[in-house]
Amino acid sequence: MVAPAAFAQDHTQSAADILQQQRDIRQDILTEKRGWDAIDASKRNAVIARQDKVFERLADVGTLEELNPTEITELSNDLEWIHSIAMDAENERLVCTREKKTGTNRVQRVCRTAGQVAREQAQASEGWHRLQSHNPAPRSDKP
């Protein structure tokens, strides 16, 4: 996907790359993969409508430099909105793992959304950094 900040600064980006990214997103929407099954049908339809505008705007364009400033702004806004909904979909994507419960040999399947996994990883990392800052590594006085 196109990062909105990068898009705003790099108008030489290939229209073909943007179109391919949008086609990939469209395929995920239509097959309801990568979390799109958890996104409301009206939002999925709104994304498709915005993509249609992007496809139309970039139909005969090689680089974004060929667009006027108004068209670039409209394209940027559409891509940013699509990116926002796509990130919502990605966060709703289910990630399932097989985990052993502490103290047993029994394995069970645990499913979480990608957003939950990311939050758990961030909390674990934050806890680790906090632990490291309170327990500095021992110093060696030996040369």
Side-chain angles (χ1 to χ4, degrees):
M1 281 176 271
V2 175
F7 174 81
Q9 295 171 355
D10 181 15
H11 294 191
T12 61
Q13 183 176 9
S14 165
D17 290 343
I18 294 172
L19 292 171
Q20 185 57 51
Q21 291 166 344
Q22 295 306 310
R23 283 191 288 273
D24 292 345
I25 292 171
R26 173 79 56 104
Q27 183 63 31
D28 289 342
I29 292 170
L30 297 176
T31 58
E32 295 186 347
K33 292 183 179 175
R34 301 185 57 78
W36 285 101
D37 56 331
I39 300 298
D40 182 72
S42 64
K43 275 192 179 177
R44 289 193 309 255
N45 291 334
V47 169
I48 289 172
R50 292 254 184 142
Q51 285 183 319
D52 288 342
K53 287 173 37 179
V54 169
F55 292 142
E56 183 179 324
R57 185 171 285 120
L58 297 179
D60 299 321
V61 174
T63 66
L64 301 182
E65 291 176 330
E66 297 174 36
L67 300 175
N68 67 46
T70 302
E71 291 173 323
I72 289 174
T73 300
E74 290 172 356
L75 178 64
S76 179
N77 289 341
D78 287 337
L79 291 174
E80 188 172 339
W81 188 85
I82 292 167
H83 178 76
S84 170
I85 303 300
M87 291 307 298
D88 289 347
E90 179 63 24
N91 285 332
E92 292 301 319
R93 179 178 54 88
L94 277 183
V95 176
C96 297
T97 57
R98 296 174 46 86
E99 299 176 3
K100 278 187 182 181
K101 189 172 182 178
T102 304
T104 71
N105 288 327
R106 187 173 176 199
V107 177
Q108 64 186 37
R109 185 175 183 202
V110 178
C111 295
R112 297 176 190 88
T113 66
Q116 288 171 320
V117 171
R119 282 188 297 277
E120 289 171 5
Q121 288 173 342
Q123 289 171 347
S125 178
E126 181 182 314
W128 177 254
H129 290 298
R130 206 171 334 139
L131 179 66
Q132 291 297 311
S133 68
H134 292 305
N135 296 319
R139 293 188 303 198
S140 175
D141 293 332
K142 296 180 185 176

